[in-house]
Amino acid sequence: MSGSAVLQFPPPSASQGARWLHEKLSHYTDAWDLAQDLANGIREIIVLDVRSTEQYLAGHICGAISFPHRTMTHESLLPLDRDKVYVTYCDGIGCNGSTKGAWKLASAGLRVKELIGGLDFWLRDGHPLVQGEEAGRWPTQSRARDCGC
C-alpha cells in the first residue's frame, strides 16, 4: 500500500466487518445507551456495580445494585434471574473489575454486557449518581447532554 500505517493491515470485507462489529456490540454498551434504557424503565437489564461496597456507597449509577466481583461465587450467583441481561461496571478503562464480574456471570450461564469506560465515562457524559446503600431511581430530569451519536 502507499506507505499508510492505517492500511498496513487491510480492513476486512464488509461482511466480515459487519459480523465482527455486531459481535463487539453484543458484548458492550456505552453510558449513553444505558442511561437511555434506565430513563425509559427498561426492565430486562440489571446494572451491577462490581466495585467494593465502600466505592458503591460513595457514588453509583442510579438503579445499580452492589455486587462486588470479589464476592461472586457459584453459590452467590444462583439466585440471579436467568431472563435478565446484566450490565457490569467498575471505575473505568484502567480497571478490569467489570470484565472479571462479567466473566463470572457468563461462566454461571447468565447473559452480560460490560459498560464501556465504566463510571469514568458515565460521569464524563454527565449522567447522575446516587450515594448510599439504596440503588436509587432515575431522576425525572437528567442533566446528561446528548452525545450526538
Side-chain angles (χ1 to χ4, degrees):
M1 304 252 158
S2 61
S4 167
V6 171
L7 299 177
Q8 178 181 4
F9 298 95
S13 69
S15 62
Q16 288 173 320
R19 280 192 304 276
W20 184 83
L21 292 166
H22 182 272
E23 182 75 15
K24 182 179 178 181
L25 289 168
S26 296
H27 293 276
Y28 299 101
T29 190
D30 67 6
W32 182 258
D33 289 349
L34 180 58
Q36 183 177 347
D37 278 3
L38 291 173
N40 290 329
I42 303 299
R43 297 192 179 277
E44 291 89 339
I45 60 169
I46 296 177
V47 182
L48 296 180
D49 184 321
V50 300
R51 303 172 302 150
S52 71
T53 302
E54 295 76 25
Q55 289 175 312
Y56 177 84
L57 294 173
H60 57 271
I61 292 174
C62 300
I65 298 168
S66 178
F67 198 158
H69 73 87
R70 294 178 191 272
T71 67
M72 290 180 181
T73 63
H74 175 73
E75 292 76 23
S76 68
L77 296 172
L78 285 175
L80 296 181
D81 188 339
R82 303 287 191 235
D83 293 329
K84 303 291 184 183
V85 173
Y86 294 88
V87 176
T88 61
Y89 76 91
C90 56
D91 283 334
I93 60 173
C95 176
N96 66 3
S98 65
T99 303
K100 289 177 180 179
W103 174 76
K104 289 177 181 181
L105 290 161
S107 295
L110 296 154
R111 296 179 302 149
V112 63
K113 288 188 172 203
E114 280 187 88
L115 177 61
I116 297 171
L119 199 57
D120 180 31
F121 284 17
W122 181 264
L123 292 171
R124 286 184 194 200
D125 282 354
H127 300 301
L129 291 183
V130 174
Q131 293 180 326
E133 293 180 13
E134 296 296 320
R137 295 186 180 180
W138 192 259
T140 54
Q141 290 187 347
S142 173
R143 68 181 200 271
R145 57 195 179 279
D146 188 343
C147 73
C149 295

